[in-house]
Structures are given as C-alpha cells and as structure tokens.
Amino acid sequence: MDESFSSLPTSYLLGSVPAVVSEEKTPSSQDVPGANLQIFPPNNSASRGTGYQTLGGTSDGDEQQLTNNWKGVFSISSYTQYFNVDTDVVLNRLISSLYPISGDFFSKIDANPDLYGLVWISTTLVFAIASLGNCATYLMHRRSDHSTSWTFDVSYLNVAACSIYGYVLIVPLAYYFLLQYLGSNASLIRFWCLWGYSLFIFILSSFLLVIPFEFLRWTIILLVGGASASFVALNLRSYINESEITIVVISAFILQMGLAIFIKMWFFA
C-alpha cells in the first residue's frame, strides 16, 4: 500500500489536478465580450421562442430583467442573426407568400425569422413600381398622343421609398404594440418578416401593370391585393389564435388592400 502511494506523482498528491479541473469550470463570461447583448425583441411567450438570445443563453430568472432592457434595439449586432439565411430558405418563403390560404408561414419561420426578405423585397419593390410606373404612364399618354416624349418623373421614386418603407416598418410595429397592449403574445421580428414577404407578389404584378388597359390593370391589382391581404390576415389569425381580437385581423386585411389600391392609383393611374 505504501509503495503504491509513493509511486504516484507528487503533483497529484499536492492536489494540482483538481485545481486544473476547477479552472476548466471557471465561467467563460469574461472571454465573450458580446455576452451582455439583450434579448430582442421583448417576447414573454415561451412557446413562441425568446427572440434574440445572448451568446450563452439566458436563464428564466434573468429573462424578465433582459426583456425590460431595449439596448439591443440600437445595436447592429442585435440584427445580424436575422440576415443569416440561405438562398434556399428565402426562395421557399417567397413561394410560400404566393399561397395565401395555407396560413402556415409562422411555423416555417419560427426557428429562424429573417429580415433579409424585408429589406430585399421592399427595396426591389420601390425601384420596380417607380420605374415601371413611369413606363406605364408614358404608354398611357402615348396611346392618346403619339407626340409624347419619354420623361422620368423622379417624384415616383421618392413617393415609392417613403410609402413602402414606411408601411412595412410602421404597420408591423403598430400591430406589435397593439397586441402587447391587448395581452396577446407577439414577436416584432416575425411581424416584420411576415409583412416583408407579403410584398413579394406586388413585384411580380408590377410588370403586368405596365399593360396600357385600365380594366386589366384594376383586375390585376385587386386580385394581387386580395392575395397579399389574405396572406397577412390568415397567418396573423393563426398566430394570434384568439377570437376576441378578430378585428385586428380584419384591419390588417384592409390595410394591405389599401396599399394595393394606393400603388395602382399613384404609380399606374
């Protein structure tokens, strides 16, 4: 027995190995300078996920404290994960936006909602309706007056940028705060994602709205507006799943139809 103990290394007898183990278990919070980033957006629904998480995650005891801190809103690093999506994922969500009656869009983006679609689709729509709107106006004037010369109205671009960006940012934000006030769980990032992809169908229809036949233009914009509004309303209803705030779903449908009519009246009149 004594010989076996004497044959052991002196470092083991002095307890240096446990010291190494304790060093390995030392919390690594100091090694991760970004670990104090806050949950964004605030989300009290455990079933819907907790939105933006810190690198090391948060415990239940810390979650309430973090949701009251809105520092992450003004930090670029809070949004970087929402642009980390593959092309296949974006294409799948674009295709889903063309099937308004499915109502399962939130289930597809629940694990990884993105803002890439919001930025890309909105910017593309701004330039599409501004340029094609100018082209449609020229063709309509050309039908009645063959001497009409081509001119590009820059005000189309200004109005398109203000209206599209303003709509896709402010409307989801307003519904987020409204649902929070009504006591319903809501996620701002998911709302921005939903409304962003709902505009994709307007990009496709803007090419058809160049056709210089007013009846055909109205038919196209009403069908497209109805499809986009149904996409928003049905997915919003499945997400809220509360009958007492059905008026919220109806108002979302009306606003989306209003956007469609605005695009027709201003850019393709």
Side-chain angles (χ1 to χ4, degrees):
M1 180 66 69
D2 295 336
E3 293 179 357
S4 60
F5 274 103
S6 61
S7 61
L8 292 175
T10 306
S11 59
Y12 182 85
L13 296 176
L14 294 178
S16 60
V17 174
V20 174
V21 175
S22 62
E23 289 177 0
E24 293 178 352
K25 293 184 178 180
T26 301
S28 59
S29 59
Q30 295 180 352
D31 298 332
V32 187
N36 60 346
L37 295 175
Q38 308 301 322
I39 294 177
F40 178 76
N43 187 353
N44 298 326
S45 172
S47 60
R48 296 291 183 186
T50 54
Y52 178 80
Q53 293 284 355
T54 64
L55 296 179
T58 57
S59 62
D60 294 338
D62 296 332
E63 182 175 348
Q64 183 62 32
Q65 178 182 358
L66 294 178
T67 54
N68 295 328
N69 193 331
W70 279 80
K71 277 185 180 179
V73 179
F74 307 102
S75 175
I76 296 177
S77 58
S78 297
Y79 300 91
T80 53
Q81 73 167 8
Y82 299 117
F83 292 88
N84 185 23
V85 287
D86 297 331
T87 303
D88 294 338
V89 174
V90 174
L91 288 176
N92 182 47
R93 294 175 181 182
L94 290 174
I95 295 173
S96 297
S97 68
L98 301 178
Y99 294 90
I101 60 175
S102 60
D104 60 347
F105 186 76
F106 279 116
S107 63
K108 294 181 178 180
I109 68 171
D110 191 58
N112 183 28
D114 71 276
L115 296 179
Y116 178 83
L118 171 76
V119 175
W120 177 79
I121 294 172
S122 301
T123 303
T124 304
L125 181 60
V126 166
F127 285 99
I129 61 178
S131 57
L132 295 175
N134 271 279
C135 184
T137 301
Y138 168 75
L139 292 177
M140 291 295 288
H141 291 168
R142 184 73 175 175
R143 289 186 62 191
S144 57
D145 184 6
H146 294 285
S147 62
T148 300
S149 59
W150 165 262
T151 57
F152 186 86
D153 191 350
V154 182
S155 65
Y156 275 41
L157 186 60
N158 297 330
V159 175
C162 293
S163 59
I164 298 302
Y165 286 135
Y167 179 86
V168 81
L169 291 175
I170 296 176
V171 171
L173 185 65
Y175 275 94
Y176 168 74
F177 283 115
L178 175 61
L179 292 175
Q180 287 286 331
Y181 174 77
L182 295 175
S184 177
N185 295 316
S187 170
L188 179 57
I189 295 297
R190 288 171 176 80
F191 281 6
W192 273 334
C193 185
L194 172 68
W195 262 274
Y197 280 97
S198 71
L199 301 181
F200 174 66
I201 194 172
F202 289 110
I203 299 176
L204 303 178
S205 64
S206 60
F207 291 91
L208 298 177
L209 292 175
V210 176
I211 301 174
F213 295 100
E214 193 67 8
F215 175 78
L216 183 59
R217 285 181 176 179
W218 274 110
T219 302
I220 293 173
I221 199 62
L222 291 178
L223 290 175
V224 169
S228 180
S230 299
F231 172 74
V232 172
L234 293 177
N235 282 284
L236 195 61
R237 185 183 65 178
S238 64
Y239 182 83
I240 299 173
N241 198 23
E242 296 181 20
S243 57
E244 62 269 17
I245 52 178
T246 304
I247 187 65
V248 175
V249 177
I250 297 176
S251 63
F253 183 93
I254 295 175
L255 282 175
Q256 200 76 359
M257 284 297 300
L259 176 66
I261 295 175
F262 169 78
I263 291 175
K264 168 65 183 68
M265 294 293 293
W266 186 271
F267 300 98
F268 302 94

